[in-house]
Amino acid sequence: MASVLGISGLYHDAAAALVIDGTIIAAMQQERFSRVKHDRALPKDAALSCLRFAGIAPEALDAVIYYEQPFQKLERVLVSTLRGFPQSFRQFPRAMRAQLADKLWVLDAISETLNVPRRRVRAVGHHESHAASAFFPSPYERAAVLTLDGVGEDTTTALWFGNGNTLTPIASTAWPQSLGLFYAAMTAWSGFEVLEGECKLMGLAAFGQPIHREELGRVLLLHETGEFELTLSFFDRFTDTELGFGKRLEQLLGERRDPLIPWDLTTPRDQHYANVAATVQCITEEAVLGLARRASRETGACNLCLAGGIALNAVANARLAKESGFDRIFVQPAAGDAGGALGAAILGSIALGDRRPSAMTSAALGLTASASDTVDLCKHLGLSARRVSDPAESAASLLSENKVVGFVQGRFEFGPRALGHRSIIASPETIAIRDRINSVVKQREPFRPFAPAILADSCSQYFDTEPSDMTAFMTTVASVHASVPTPIDAVLHCDGTARIQTVTADAASGLEAVLRARVRRGEAPILLNTSLNGRNEPIVGSAIDAILFFLAHRVDALIVEDVLVERQT
Amino acid sequence: MAFHPLLAQLHARSIARRPKAAARALARFAKAERGSMLTLIWAATHVDSPERRATYLEQAYEEQRHGRMFSKRAAELNGYASSEPSVNTDAEDLFIALGEIRMLAFLYRGEHRAVVEFSGYRDAFRKAGDAKTAALFAEIVEEERHHQEYPLELIQSLTNDPRAVTRASRYVAAWEAWRTMRRLGQFMAGLLYTGGMTCLYALLLPLSLWVRWVRPEVRGLVLAREWSRNDRSQERG
Amino acid sequence: MNTILKFGHRLHTTLQLLGYFASRQRFFLFPLMVVLLLGGLLLILTGGLSYVAPFVYTLF
């Protein structure tokens, strides 16, 4: 029976995850504590919170596993900056400084920060962590596993075969041939912020047509073997780590979009960017499809698991579900680097003789928010707060009045999606509600849709899909039926799709209760669900975060456990 | 970076008639406000007293609001309707670094500085005919006045020592001076390092050619040595 | 005591690092590694390594 803590960090999305006796006990991102989005700092708060939740001291840990091999990383950095001579002359000093500052000494830093003996701190491979985070929490005994991201130590793409307690590497693609960097560079070219804007590019794609296939086909070549090849001259061989692409790309597709100009898709300029986005999305889907089919041929497996940043592309995942030939697909909700912490912990646990975890049914692996803290804070801040006997009923009642409600129930989620534990919920019926949420809270670009949460047993009434391993975690999209029982205009994208969450009591009991309450009132078993955070902020974690959100954003009400906070009119 | 009041006045006068320069300055202020917001959120998380937690949270909200106001005005001065608040920011957990009393002294000094400097910016923009930016600074100055008052009251109530404020302020002044010197030293060392590494890199041409020879780029999928087709699942029959 | 322990850890990691680059397929990088470590030591002593601005693309 081993207690293993997994750690990811120092690049982006630092996180910690705790596995005890093969059971996932807790997993949390550092940003929920520091309130710095995509926080890269060593996740001390997240790690200590995991341990406090489990009631164990750091000294009791059998192992702490870091999600990447620092020496292999340094080797790749040296080799790639030397290969890039002389263009990498600006990169070299910065890269060396970054490596020598903290990355090389990360295992020592973990030992010192957590007060764990150094001999118990180890590292595993980056893509191995990703693969473990996808396969072991999946419901599959055997599966092909595909990991796709910017780059780990040296690998950018990897195929694996997962079988029981083992993960066997099949094949990999090395830096700088990176699908993740391609998507990130196109994100930057489109005027969005890297790490933040990839989902915006995905949303923008639905407003365009993939008419630049020929041009982008010269940038990203796809082979029948499932392999892809980037023409690196378009990206200046990634020697500019601020921009990520070169003049040749701008000569091909036009100038980079100015990030500060507001979007207007009625203009030819922005329509062009939408068309490029559509083409990028299309070619990326084809690349991922090719790799998935290759994984299928290699393994003969019926199931597929995905991880790495590209796995967060829900539109591509939907296409995989339809066309890859796999029966079932699982994407662990924290598919990015944060999930690496979970994968590392599981790998460490298995290495110490424990079984793999049982299938993940809920992403709620964080801390709860304190109702009493909420009451105290509201009292001192002059906010109107009262305890309610049935929070779900109260929420449903507010939703029926077309109110926008912040909803905090249970443990916060692991990963970038709000799945009913830290959500803003509203009725999905009218565009007016969507526009209101956008103007008072999110201030998003006009092309970005909100997503629906629907009772699992009502899914097929509205969408062309049954609940699946992906719909439970909002990692895929589905098309809405031509005719639906009730209007859901607020949650539909322009192409008639939605990134749906199918809700069950196991996964999100609080949200499920709200949906059931709506049904009892004769209302639709579906609502608008978006994450409880302001623009460019991490999702809310604690009661303090929730109250600060309520002060700063004019939602109508906030429910934290059984405490209802309402705005006094 | 905090300016000396005189320097701040000179800076204010130099940017008040130049919208792009003013926008850059306002963006920096937005980032600083966001840093203050984080410091106060962290303080609210650490402190046990619900009353003080609410006080820090309230100031965190106001700092956040100031940051958004600065960002919005910066965008307008740049000729855009919307603003994009920066995600990256520098902030320190002063509650842990200094302890609560000294953190309050730091807040007092910081807010006092802000009142003095922002008053100068307010006057400069008013004189330059930019009433909107002047009004922005005026509104923020009023709130910062409260932010500078309550820390002193809190120090008194927590310590019951009339000399606590002076002692804490002196400590924080010394700490800030040391921090500035340290940052300057780090900056100089960083410059020296960058220069040295760049020179070193220039000498690495022979090694770079060798690397291209022994470690050529590999394209496509490379099969792993451990993988054997005998491992293929029998599921597909 | 803490400082001595930290120094011990770093020294151990440095030796492991040198051992990693002393292997046959990486030996050509060994001299560069030594120079970089010496440069890094200088930077640690002057405190210049304490803060490195984040990269837009987190490749390093």
Side-chain angles (χ1 to χ4, degrees), chain C residues 1-2 6-7 9-10 14 16 18-19 21 25 28-30 33 39 44-46 49 51 53 55 57-59:
Chain C
M1 186 58 198
N2 234 358
K6 274 189 185 176
F7 177 73
H9 285 160
R10 299 293 182 284
T14 306
Q16 282 186 320
L18 290 170
F21 279 96
Q25 67 261 47
F28 62 97
L29 292 170
F30 188 87
M33 207 50 247
I44 291 168
L45 291 174
T46 55
L49 273 182
Y51 176 73
F55 291 93
Y57 295 86
T58 51
L59 309 176

Side-chain angles (χ1 to χ4, degrees), chain A residues 34 75 81-83 85 170-172 227 229 237 258 260 297-302 535-537 552, chain B residues 41-42 61 64 68 80 83-85 193 201 208 212 215 217 219 221-222 224 227 231-233 235-236:
Chain A
S34 65
E75 184 184 351
T81 46
L82 286 169
R83 271 196 208 130
F85 189 99
I170 299 171
S172 63
E227 294 160 302
E229 194 179 322
R237 306 186 57 83
D258 186 333
L260 293 178
R297 286 197 298 276
E298 291 284 348
T299 62
C302 291
R535 194 179 185 198
N536 282 344
E537 293 169 1
Chain B
I41 291 175
W42 296 335
Y61 158 61
Q64 185 185 57
R68 287 183 174 159
Y80 304 123
S83 62
E84 186 71 34
Y193 181 80
Y201 189 71
S208 79
R212 282 179 208 181
R215 292 281 190 96
E217 259 174 37
R219 300 187 175 206
L221 283 167
V222 175
W227 179 244
D231 284 335
R232 178 175 298 186
S233 160
E235 286 166 26
R236 292 227 184 272

